Amino acid sequence: MTETIVIAEIVKGAVHPTTAELITAAHALGSQPVVVVPCADASVADGAAQFSGAARVLAAKSDVFSNYDAAGWASALDAVAPAGVIITSASPQSKDLAARLAARRGISVVQDVVQIEGGNLTSPIYSGKAMQTVSLSGNAVVTVRPNIFAPAGNDGSNDVSVVDTTGNIATAVQEFMARASTRIDVAEANIIISGGRGMGTPANFTHLEAIADTLGAAVGASRAAVDTWDEIPHSMQVGQTGKTVNPNLYIAVGISGAIQHLAGMRSSKYIVAINKDADAPIFQHADYGIVATWEEALPILQSTLSAMMA
Amino acid sequence: MANIIVLVKQVPDTNARIVLSGDRVDLSAVKKVMSPYDEFAVENALQHREASGGEVTAITVGGSGADKVLKDAKAIGVDHIVRIDCDTHLDSNALQTILASVISTLGGEVVYCGKSAADTGAGSTGPGVAERLGWASVSNTTSVTFGDQLSVVTPSSGGNARVNVPLPAVISCDKGNIKVRKPNVKGIMQAKKAQVDVRSVDAPASTVSVVAHSMPPAKPAGKSYQGGAAAAEVAQLLRDEANVI
Ligand SMILES: Cc1cc2nc3c(=O)[nH]c(=O)nc-3n(C[C@H](O)[C@H](O)[C@H](O)COP(=O)(O)OP(=O)(O)OC[C@H]3O[C@@H](n4cnc5c(N)ncnc54)[C@H](O)[C@@H]3O)c2cc1C
Ligand SMILES: Nc1ncnc2c1ncn2[C@@H]1O[C@H](COP(=O)(O)O)[C@@H](O)[C@H]1O
């Protein structure tokens, strides 16, 4: 049976809950994984001790893990992870790491897996317009999309063993630039509310921001909005030439649903569309479609949500 | 003077409808274009040449049909075009191995590529090629400043980081704020006459094989409402039916 290794997803210096989904993916590939936690401070790995279904937890401790550097992380993890199929999250950083780690071992990487069945792995291709199922005849590094596999339970009590490691850092951070807005980024959000050209003016995005604040959501945008209005930065763009997102809930407001926009968000778990045109293509992908102007719908959405969250 | 490499890939136009023939995607009727992020890679490569001098070589891995993407790169302004001849499916290990080998042969000092190709969506090639060459790499860059080292901007948790990258390095390019130049008439004429340097390189056997392609599972038809008042009901359903808030 294939040995599996889960590299814990680290966000803001802590083990992220999606790590539990990676453990489930490892089981689908056939074994209880070794969970490797990249950390500068070994106590971070305690955040993986409670996962059920792990064979053991290994704190890979090194200063290399203080800041992300693909070469440094890949070399430090390669030194401690056993041979086998390695599984990471399909976040932008972990996809980058996965590719480097695979290359370091001279094996292949399979990105963005959304289904594992009988040893076969399925990922979206052509921006989600088709799916590709592959089989492995050797070890590989596999990245798994978040919000797809059910998380492993939290009633384990794994021993955490600490292994010191080191790696060759290739780049140096000069400065961190905080985002102008303190709002969460679309790439990291579980709920996203996005506006398109139908919002009329960039100032109207404040209506989306208010709902985002109520829900703890990120605000996204279509390319038409980003290209038309300087106030809407490219970092907010969802789609083919923007970010690919996979939230639990995606609310599209005044967005027609062009194929390139769908490319970035069609795999969202639930999609709500608000658009005044009943024929807008976005409605074909919506779980809940509201044919209305945003001027009419958003105040009602806002007040209902505020009341519910209060 | 820098020996600059840019990787370009031919992919279906992003507007194209993807259809199956049996259990494989059938691209015979589909228009092919340069993968959108590769346009930013080409632009960065040309700006690098303008900043430091040197020459830009565009490389693609593909069959003879892929010459078109090289001609497009030539028309925009690259100096040399190289196609590594290969018409079969390569897994990431095979693709990166042959790219790394040709980049070494050409004496490349810096490589620009797209952050992900529009067909695979993978984002594996840049970091994978860098690791095989033993080079630095940064992915998803939105800005590149050229000097003895590169200084790039890349997303990091909570914002962006400005990162110093010593050369040699591979930079996988996101869109950012740069405008890509369009080919002019002279460029298009030169591209017509340009010779593609076709090479063949042995690839290691792939260990990832495609079993089947399929259409994405159809989404069951959603609920549809007329009028903004329905937003109240939808909010309730998001909590009670979908359990997402
Ligand atoms: C290579 C390439 C890459 C691309 N990449 C991307 C990408 O990454 N992301 C992306 O989004 N697009 C991308 N596009 C552009 C894409 O094709 C569309 O042009 C774009 O998504 C349209 O944005 P939109 O829906 O906001 O605008 P529109 O298509 O203009 O739609 C506006 C919508 O708002 C509705 N509306 C108007 N007023 C109101 C109102 N008061 N209340 C409610 N609804 C209203 C209208 O009915 C309409 O449906 C790309 C295109 C190409 C060629
Ligand atoms: N067959 C190929 N030929 C040339 N460049 C490629 C090829 N495949 C990928 N690339 C480059 O690597 C980038 C990322 O591709 P991918 O790893 O498939 O997402 C692309 O945008 C191209 O710049």
Side-chain angles (χ1 to χ4, degrees):
Chain A
M1 186 160 56
T2 329
E3 172 117 49
T4 57
I5 300 98
V6 161
I7 309 285
E9 179 71 357
I10 303 297
V11 176
K12 296 198 174 83
V15 174
H16 192 270
T18 49
T19 307
E21 300 169 14
L22 306 181
I23 294 174
T24 306
H27 282 262
L29 278 167
S31 71
Q32 293 218 345
V34 178
V35 178
V36 177
V37 183
C39 51
D41 172 351
S43 67
V44 170
D46 295 342
Q50 83 290 355
F51 292 133
S52 349
R56 58 202 168 93
V57 174
L58 221 148
K61 182 171 166 292
S62 170
D63 289 343
V64 165
F65 298 122
S66 308
N67 285 318
Y68 182 68
D69 171 73
W73 281 48
S75 50
L77 286 169
D78 179 38
V80 299
V85 175
I86 299 178
I87 302 165
T88 79
S89 169
S91 65
Q93 178 177 307
S94 293
K95 284 177 69 172
D96 184 53
L97 171 67
R100 261 208 96 124
L101 193 50
R104 190 170 178 89
R105 292 197 166 181
I107 57 181
S108 272
V109 56
V110 180
Q111 302 275 19
D112 294 301
V113 168
V114 295
Q115 196 188 330
I116 302 174
E117 225 175 71
N120 289 342
L121 309 168
T122 302
S123 311
I125 52 172
Y126 304 106
S127 313
K129 288 189 250 180
M131 310 299 286
Q132 173 163 281
T133 301
V134 300
S135 66
L136 305 180
S137 57
N139 288 334
V141 182
V142 172
T143 71
V144 172
R145 285 257 178 112
N147 295 328
I148 291 183
F149 290 86
N154 268 325
D155 46 15
S157 53
N158 305 297
D159 286 333
V160 177
S161 46
V162 182
V163 188
D164 288 296
T165 183
T166 117
N168 309 315
I169 296 182
T171 64
V173 175
Q174 272 173 288
E175 58 169 330
F176 287 106
M177 297 169 284
R179 226 171 272 121
S181 110
T182 52
R183 199 161 277 109
I184 170 170
D185 189 75
V186 289
E188 295 162 8
N190 253 326
I191 303 181
I192 297 170
I193 180 163
S194 288
R197 199 192 327 253
M199 292 307 293
T201 68
N204 286 332
F205 271 67
T206 52
H207 299 284
L208 305 176
E209 286 163 8
I211 292 174
D213 289 343
T214 308
L215 292 173
V219 180
S222 71
R223 169 154 144 188
V226 170
D227 284 357
T228 315
W229 301 310
D230 289 344
E231 294 86 343
I232 312 292
H234 178 254
S235 60
M236 282 168 65
Q237 184 178 318
V238 172
Q240 181 93 52
T241 41
K243 292 185 174 136
T244 302
V245 299
N246 220 31
N248 276 326
L249 173 59
Y250 188 89
I251 308 177
V253 187
I255 293 179
S256 58
I259 192 88
Q260 296 92 351
H261 189 79
L262 293 169
M265 45 63 73
R266 64 192 289 162
S267 61
S268 306
K269 202 167 218 167
Y270 283 90
I271 296 172
V272 174
I274 300 173
N275 194 304
K276 67 177 186 186
D277 173 10
D279 293 328
I282 188 77
F283 284 125
Q284 286 159 31
H285 301 268
D287 299 279
Y288 305 103
I290 304 174
V291 182
T293 64
W294 64 263
E295 289 91 334
E296 198 193 342
L298 287 186
I300 296 168
L301 186 62
Q302 166 77 72
S303 61
T304 316
L305 290 171
S306 301
M308 278 168 46
M309 307 304 270
Chain B
M1 301 285 277
N3 184 338
I4 303 158
I5 307 280
V6 60
L7 306 182
V8 292
K9 185 177 192 190
Q10 196 177 45
V11 300
D13 186 295
T14 58
N15 272 315
R17 216 164 68 83
I18 300 293
V19 296
L20 293 183
S21 159
D23 62 0
R24 286 293 187 281
V25 159
D26 178 2
L27 301 177
S28 54
V30 162
K31 184 182 163 213
K32 307 260 182 53
V33 298
M34 184 185 294
S35 186
Y37 292 109
D38 298 357
E39 297 183 14
F40 304 110
V42 171
E43 181 61 35
N44 275 314
L46 296 177
Q47 290 190 13
H48 190 142
R49 182 183 66 190
E50 279 150 16
S52 68
E55 299 197 325
V56 179
T57 303
I59 306 179
T60 198
V61 181
S64 56
D67 283 349
K68 169 87 171 55
V69 73
L70 292 172
K71 299 266 179 164
D72 291 346
K74 176 77 189 170
I76 305 170
V78 307
D79 301 290
H80 310 288
I81 48 180
V82 174
R83 178 166 60 83
I84 307 174
D85 189 43
C86 174
D87 230 348
T88 52
H89 167 81
L90 297 174
D91 65 7
S92 70
N93 180 46
L95 175 74
Q96 294 163 16
T97 303
I98 61 179
L99 277 170
S101 129
V102 170
I103 291 164
S104 306
T105 310
L106 293 171
E109 293 163 295
V110 59
V111 173
Y112 293 93
C113 67
K115 78 159 184 176
S116 61
D119 51 358
T120 66
S124 305
T125 308
V129 165
E131 179 65 37
R132 278 158 216 279
L133 292 166
W135 294 6
S137 66
V138 181
S139 298
N140 308 315
T141 62
T142 51
S143 156
V144 186
T145 315
F146 309 96
D148 293 340
Q149 302 199 354
L150 301 178
S151 166
V152 304
V153 176
T154 179
S156 81
S157 131
N160 288 308
R162 177 171 289 286
V163 178
N164 270 334
V165 193
L167 298 179
V170 180
I171 306 297
S172 303
C173 306
D174 196 348
K175 181 179 179 197
N177 285 326
I178 56 169
K179 285 253 177 304
V180 300
R181 66 196 77 180
K182 297 287 168 200
N184 56 28
V185 176
K186 183 167 156 240
I188 294 169
M189 294 310 291
Q190 280 181 347
K192 279 214 176 98
K193 284 178 279 168
Q195 275 295 322
V196 178
D197 171 358
V198 181
R199 307 195 171 206
S200 66
V201 183
D202 284 337
S206 288
T207 61
V208 176
S209 348
V210 177
V211 176
H213 292 144
S214 54
M215 284 291 124
K219 225 179 153 151
K223 295 186 172 152
S224 157
Y225 302 87
Q226 290 289 331
E233 185 179 344
V234 169
Q236 302 289 350
L237 289 172
L238 288 175
R239 184 180 62 184
D240 302 334
E241 186 177 79
N243 280 315
V244 287
I245 53 177

PDB file of all heavy atoms in Angstrom, chain B residues 7-9 38 59-61 95 113-114 116-117 120 122-125, ligand 2:
ATOM      1  N   LEU B   7       8.731  31.068 -21.595  1.00  0.00           N
ATOM      2  CA  LEU B   7       7.992  29.859 -21.966  1.00  0.00           C
ATOM      3  C   LEU B   7       6.597  30.260 -22.427  1.00  0.00           C
ATOM      4  O   LEU B   7       5.902  31.002 -21.737  1.00  0.00           O
ATOM      5  CB  LEU B   7       7.873  28.912 -20.769  1.00  0.00           C
ATOM      6  CG  LEU B   7       9.181  28.538 -20.082  1.00  0.00           C
ATOM      7  CD1 LEU B   7       8.915  27.548 -18.948  1.00  0.00           C
ATOM      8  CD2 LEU B   7      10.170  27.947 -21.087  1.00  0.00           C
ATOM      9  N   VAL B   8       6.219  29.798 -23.589  1.00  0.00           N
ATOM     10  CA  VAL B   8       4.872  30.104 -24.091  1.00  0.00           C
ATOM     11  C   VAL B   8       4.181  28.809 -24.486  1.00  0.00           C
ATOM     12  O   VAL B   8       4.799  27.904 -25.029  1.00  0.00           O
ATOM     13  CB  VAL B   8       4.908  31.084 -25.290  1.00  0.00           C
ATOM     14  CG1 VAL B   8       5.363  32.463 -24.839  1.00  0.00           C
ATOM     15  CG2 VAL B   8       5.798  30.578 -26.412  1.00  0.00           C
ATOM     16  N   LYS B   9       2.903  28.757 -24.195  1.00  0.00           N
ATOM     17  CA  LYS B   9       2.148  27.546 -24.492  1.00  0.00           C
ATOM     18  C   LYS B   9       0.919  27.889 -25.310  1.00  0.00           C
ATOM     19  O   LYS B   9       0.262  28.898 -25.063  1.00  0.00           O
ATOM     20  CB  LYS B   9       1.721  26.854 -23.190  1.00  0.00           C
ATOM     21  CG  LYS B   9       1.044  25.513 -23.442  1.00  0.00           C
ATOM     22  CD  LYS B   9       0.676  24.788 -22.176  1.00  0.00           C
ATOM     23  CE  LYS B   9       0.289  23.347 -22.510  1.00  0.00           C
ATOM     24  NZ  LYS B   9      -0.293  22.658 -21.366  1.00  0.00           N
ATOM     25  N   ASP B  38       0.910  33.908 -20.319  1.00  0.00           N
ATOM     26  CA  ASP B  38       2.192  33.916 -21.031  1.00  0.00           C
ATOM     27  C   ASP B  38       2.421  35.262 -21.706  1.00  0.00           C
ATOM     28  O   ASP B  38       3.558  35.659 -21.950  1.00  0.00           O
ATOM     29  CB  ASP B  38       2.244  32.781 -22.055  1.00  0.00           C
ATOM     30  CG  ASP B  38       2.147  31.412 -21.393  1.00  0.00           C
ATOM     31  OD1 ASP B  38       2.094  31.368 -20.151  1.00  0.00           O
ATOM     32  OD2 ASP B  38       2.106  30.404 -22.115  1.00  0.00           O
ATOM     33  N   ILE B  59      10.413  29.594 -25.860  1.00  0.00           N
ATOM     34  CA  ILE B  59      10.409  28.138 -26.025  1.00  0.00           C
ATOM     35  C   ILE B  59       8.988  27.621 -25.845  1.00  0.00           C
ATOM     36  O   ILE B  59       8.283  28.039 -24.926  1.00  0.00           O
ATOM     37  CB  ILE B  59      11.290  27.441 -24.961  1.00  0.00           C
ATOM     38  CG1 ILE B  59      12.713  28.002 -24.954  1.00  0.00           C
ATOM     39  CG2 ILE B  59      11.308  25.929 -25.171  1.00  0.00           C
ATOM     40  CD1 ILE B  59      13.612  27.357 -23.901  1.00  0.00           C
ATOM     41  N   THR B  60       8.592  26.716 -26.711  1.00  0.00           N
ATOM     42  CA  THR B  60       7.356  25.983 -26.461  1.00  0.00           C
ATOM     43  C   THR B  60       7.624  24.496 -26.623  1.00  0.00           C
ATOM     44  O   THR B  60       8.536  24.097 -27.342  1.00  0.00           O
ATOM     45  CB  THR B  60       6.212  26.445 -27.387  1.00  0.00           C
ATOM     46  OG1 THR B  60       4.969  26.023 -26.823  1.00  0.00           O
ATOM     47  CG2 THR B  60       6.330  25.867 -28.792  1.00  0.00           C
ATOM     48  N   VAL B  61       6.838  23.696 -25.937  1.00  0.00           N
ATOM     49  CA  VAL B  61       6.877  22.246 -26.117  1.00  0.00           C
ATOM     50  C   VAL B  61       5.573  21.865 -26.796  1.00  0.00           C
ATOM     51  O   VAL B  61       4.498  22.118 -26.239  1.00  0.00           O
ATOM     52  CB  VAL B  61       6.985  21.507 -24.767  1.00  0.00           C
ATOM     53  CG1 VAL B  61       7.044  19.996 -24.991  1.00  0.00           C
ATOM     54  CG2 VAL B  61       8.198  21.989 -23.979  1.00  0.00           C
ATOM     55  N   LEU B  95       7.704  16.925 -18.753  1.00  0.00           N
ATOM     56  CA  LEU B  95       7.721  18.263 -19.356  1.00  0.00           C
ATOM     57  C   LEU B  95       8.844  19.120 -18.763  1.00  0.00           C
ATOM     58  O   LEU B  95       9.612  19.764 -19.482  1.00  0.00           O
ATOM     59  CB  LEU B  95       6.365  18.961 -19.139  1.00  0.00           C
ATOM     60  CG  LEU B  95       6.315  20.413 -19.626  1.00  0.00           C
ATOM     61  CD1 LEU B  95       6.261  20.462 -21.147  1.00  0.00           C
ATOM     62  CD2 LEU B  95       5.133  21.158 -19.032  1.00  0.00           C
ATOM     63  N   CYS B 113       7.633  32.690 -17.176  1.00  0.00           N
ATOM     64  CA  CYS B 113       6.544  31.860 -17.690  1.00  0.00           C
ATOM     65  C   CYS B 113       5.240  32.348 -17.077  1.00  0.00           C
ATOM     66  O   CYS B 113       5.237  33.241 -16.219  1.00  0.00           O
ATOM     67  CB  CYS B 113       6.787  30.377 -17.381  1.00  0.00           C
ATOM     68  SG  CYS B 113       6.710  29.958 -15.644  1.00  0.00           S
ATOM     69  N   GLY B 114       4.121  31.781 -17.537  1.00  0.00           N
ATOM     70  CA  GLY B 114       2.828  32.161 -16.992  1.00  0.00           C
ATOM     71  C   GLY B 114       2.624  31.541 -15.616  1.00  0.00           C
ATOM     72  O   GLY B 114       3.196  30.495 -15.317  1.00  0.00           O
ATOM     73  N   SER B 116       0.006  30.121 -14.570  1.00  0.00           N
ATOM     74  CA  SER B 116      -0.602  28.827 -14.842  1.00  0.00           C
ATOM     75  C   SER B 116      -1.070  28.841 -16.284  1.00  0.00           C
ATOM     76  O   SER B 116      -1.364  29.905 -16.835  1.00  0.00           O
ATOM     77  CB  SER B 116      -1.773  28.534 -13.898  1.00  0.00           C
ATOM     78  OG  SER B 116      -2.768  29.503 -14.057  1.00  0.00           O
ATOM     79  N   ALA B 117      -1.107  27.689 -16.898  1.00  0.00           N
ATOM     80  CA  ALA B 117      -1.565  27.599 -18.281  1.00  0.00           C
ATOM     81  C   ALA B 117      -3.086  27.489 -18.279  1.00  0.00           C
ATOM     82  O   ALA B 117      -3.668  26.885 -17.370  1.00  0.00           O
ATOM     83  CB  ALA B 117      -0.940  26.387 -18.968  1.00  0.00           C
ATOM     84  N   THR B 120      -4.220  23.518 -18.312  1.00  0.00           N
ATOM     85  CA  THR B 120      -3.998  22.716 -17.097  1.00  0.00           C
ATOM     86  C   THR B 120      -4.437  23.457 -15.842  1.00  0.00           C
ATOM     87  O   THR B 120      -4.870  22.829 -14.872  1.00  0.00           O
ATOM     88  CB  THR B 120      -2.509  22.378 -16.909  1.00  0.00           C
ATOM     89  OG1 THR B 120      -1.796  23.604 -16.657  1.00  0.00           O
ATOM     90  CG2 THR B 120      -1.921  21.691 -18.118  1.00  0.00           C
ATOM     91  N   ALA B 122      -2.469  24.464 -13.803  1.00  0.00           N
ATOM     92  CA  ALA B 122      -1.672  23.840 -12.754  1.00  0.00           C
ATOM     93  C   ALA B 122      -0.739  24.789 -12.019  1.00  0.00           C
ATOM     94  O   ALA B 122      -0.673  24.791 -10.787  1.00  0.00           O
ATOM     95  CB  ALA B 122      -0.864  22.684 -13.354  1.00  0.00           C
ATOM     96  N   GLY B 123       0.020  25.596 -12.745  1.00  0.00           N
ATOM     97  CA  GLY B 123       1.023  26.419 -12.072  1.00  0.00           C
ATOM     98  C   GLY B 123       2.213  25.618 -11.595  1.00  0.00           C
ATOM     99  O   GLY B 123       2.898  26.012 -10.652  1.00  0.00           O
ATOM    100  N   SER B 124       2.475  24.487 -12.225  1.00  0.00           N
ATOM    101  CA  SER B 124       3.567  23.618 -11.779  1.00  0.00           C
ATOM    102  C   SER B 124       4.883  23.899 -12.500  1.00  0.00           C
ATOM    103  O   SER B 124       5.954  23.630 -11.954  1.00  0.00           O
ATOM    104  CB  SER B 124       3.215  22.146 -12.063  1.00  0.00           C
ATOM    105  OG  SER B 124       1.980  21.800 -11.482  1.00  0.00           O
ATOM    106  N   THR B 125       4.795  24.384 -13.719  1.00  0.00           N
ATOM    107  CA  THR B 125       5.972  24.366 -14.584  1.00  0.00           C
ATOM    108  C   THR B 125       7.091  25.292 -14.092  1.00  0.00           C
ATOM    109  O   THR B 125       8.256  24.884 -14.045  1.00  0.00           O
ATOM    110  CB  THR B 125       5.568  24.735 -16.030  1.00  0.00           C
ATOM    111  OG1 THR B 125       4.474  23.887 -16.402  1.00  0.00           O
ATOM    112  CG2 THR B 125       6.718  24.536 -16.992  1.00  0.00           C
TER     113      THR B 125
HETATM  114  N1  LIG C   2       4.137  22.770 -23.250  1.00  0.00           N
HETATM  115  C1  LIG C   2       4.632  23.941 -22.809  1.00  0.00           C
HETATM  116  N2  LIG C   2       5.462  24.669 -23.596  1.00  0.00           N
HETATM  117  C2  LIG C   2       5.966  25.851 -23.187  1.00  0.00           C
HETATM  118  N3  LIG C   2       5.686  26.400 -21.999  1.00  0.00           N
HETATM  119  C3  LIG C   2       4.855  25.729 -21.166  1.00  0.00           C
HETATM  120  C4  LIG C   2       4.300  24.469 -21.521  1.00  0.00           C
HETATM  121  N4  LIG C   2       3.515  24.061 -20.496  1.00  0.00           N
HETATM  122  C5  LIG C   2       3.589  25.027 -19.558  1.00  0.00           C
HETATM  123  N5  LIG C   2       4.399  26.036 -19.957  1.00  0.00           N
HETATM  124  C6  LIG C   2       4.705  27.298 -19.239  1.00  0.00           C
HETATM  125  O1  LIG C   2       4.443  27.123 -17.874  1.00  0.00           O
HETATM  126  C7  LIG C   2       3.350  27.956 -17.458  1.00  0.00           C
HETATM  127  C8  LIG C   2       2.523  27.252 -16.425  1.00  0.00           C
HETATM  128  O2  LIG C   2       1.948  26.066 -16.970  1.00  0.00           O
HETATM  129  P1  LIG C   2       1.243  24.980 -16.038  1.00  0.00           P
HETATM  130  O3  LIG C   2       2.285  24.507 -15.082  1.00  0.00           O
HETATM  131  O4  LIG C   2       0.783  23.909 -16.984  1.00  0.00           O
HETATM  132  O5  LIG C   2       0.116  25.682 -15.353  1.00  0.00           O
HETATM  133  C9  LIG C   2       2.622  28.296 -18.741  1.00  0.00           C
HETATM  134  O6  LIG C   2       1.909  29.511 -18.599  1.00  0.00           O
HETATM  135  C10 LIG C   2       3.781  28.409 -19.723  1.00  0.00           C
HETATM  136  O7  LIG C   2       4.458  29.640 -19.566  1.00  0.00           O
END
